[in-house]
Every structure is written in C-alpha cells, then in structure tokens.
Amino acid sequence: MDRFTKKVLIILGVYAFFAIVILILFQTVFMLSYIPSSSMESTIMTGNIVFSTRYDVDEDELKRYDILTFIAPDNPEITYIKRLIGLPGETIEVKEGKVYADGVELDDSFIKNSQNQVGDGIYEIPEGCYFFMGDNRNNSKDSRFWENPYVPIDDIQAKAKCILFQFSDIGSLCYD
C-alpha cells in the first residue's frame, strides 16, 4: 500500500471514529429537536432547533417551568416539547385564563397572549407523573387535551437548554 492510500485510510478512520463518538453522544447525552409547531411560541418559534441534555431528567432534577422533551402520552411515535407545569402529587387547576398549583397562582410571564378558557379543569397528578402546557396556551395540544394527561417520568427524554437556530432566536431556555 502506498503512502497516499495509507494517509487517506487514516483520515477516513479518524473521521469515522469522530462520527461514531458524536452519534453515541447524541443518542445518550444530548438531543437536537426541530420545532414543527407554534405551541411554544413566543419562547420557541416554529422552525427553531433546540439543544437539550439527556443526563439531567431524573425526578430530583426536574423543576416547575423547565422545558422538556418527552414521548407523547397518546401517541408514542411523537415527541413533544412543552413547559413543565405540574409536579407529582399536585392538583393543577386551570381556571379563567390562570393556572394554579395546590391553590397558588403560577407565573405566566413567559406567555405572550392571555389564555382563553378552553381546557379549564382540575387535574390531580399521580405520583411519578407530570403535567405539561405549551407557552402558546391558546394553540397548544398539551396535558389539558390529551386522553392521558400525565407524562410518566420514564417518558421524559431531555431538558431544553438553548435555541441553536434560527440565529435571530439564539438564546438560553433556562427559567430564572
């Protein structure tokens, strides 16, 4: 084998190695999500690409208002991205455009338009499950409308960290 062929094979081997490492990282540690709908606008816009981490979705690391990706309760073929609103054991009440957790009104500063009363109701979250809503409350298919309104901890895949694309929307998704 001549020197040129050896160099080409080495370069191809290095590229293949790095491709495999990156593939493994995105299967186990990181996640990229394309956002196809407006359910999280104006926080995440249609067409954005969101970078998420898979290592920090244990029960003790999830906090209200985190934006998470998870398997859709009514259709396991689909992955959703929504804001965590209700925690295990809580009672969530959606009433007159406001959301309450165990009687305490929740922050809605991330919502652009006031919420209509579609989806009003009382939701008692079982242990080990979570309740999600989109930030575009008037145009979001979320826990209020699913046949199975609660997402088990095992179906939560990743925690959204930042928007990578479109460049005009780049920024952190961490709730302060």
Side-chain angles (χ1 to χ4, degrees), residues 88-155:
E90 288 184 332
T91 298
I92 296 295
E93 183 175 9
V94 181
K95 177 174 74 173
E96 298 175 359
K98 299 289 182 188
V99 180
Y100 303 86
D102 293 334
V104 177
E105 185 177 340
L106 298 181
D107 179 23
D108 66 358
S109 61
F110 39 81
I111 298 172
K112 183 177 179 182
N113 299 317
S114 58
Q115 179 180 325
N116 61 33
Q117 295 180 26
V118 176
D120 279 7
I122 297 174
Y123 306 90
E124 295 183 19
I125 305 167
E127 289 300 324
C129 293
Y130 296 85
F131 185 88
F132 289 88
M133 294 176 75
D135 288 359
N136 186 358
R137 302 266 168 92
N138 298 329
N139 190 25
S140 176
K141 184 175 180 181
D142 54 39
S143 285
R144 298 170 293 164
F145 305 107
W146 301 329
E147 185 177 323
N148 304 302
Y150 312 111
V151 178
I153 184 73
D154 293 339
D155 289 349

Side-chain angles (χ1 to χ4, degrees), residues 39-53:
S39 72
M40 284 297 292
E41 290 183 1
S42 64
T43 305
I44 304 172
M45 306 304 286
T46 303
N48 282 164
I49 295 178
V50 174
F51 174 79
S52 304
T53 54

Side-chain angles (χ1 to χ4, degrees), residues 72-93:
D74 293 341
N75 187 350
E77 305 297 316
I78 297 175
T79 300
Y80 283 151
I81 185 165
K82 307 270 184 218
R83 191 175 296 274
L84 175 58
I85 297 298
L87 303 172
E90 288 184 332
T91 298
I92 296 295
E93 183 175 9

Side-chain angles (χ1 to χ4, degrees), residues 32-37 41 43-51 162-173:
L32 290 177
S33 303
Y34 171 78
I35 309 305
S37 74
E41 290 183 1
T43 305
I44 304 172
M45 306 304 286
T46 303
N48 282 164
I49 295 178
V50 174
F51 174 79
C162 65
I163 297 170
L164 293 180
F165 182 81
Q166 299 171 345
F167 297 122
S168 60
D169 299 329
I170 288 177
S172 173
L173 291 173

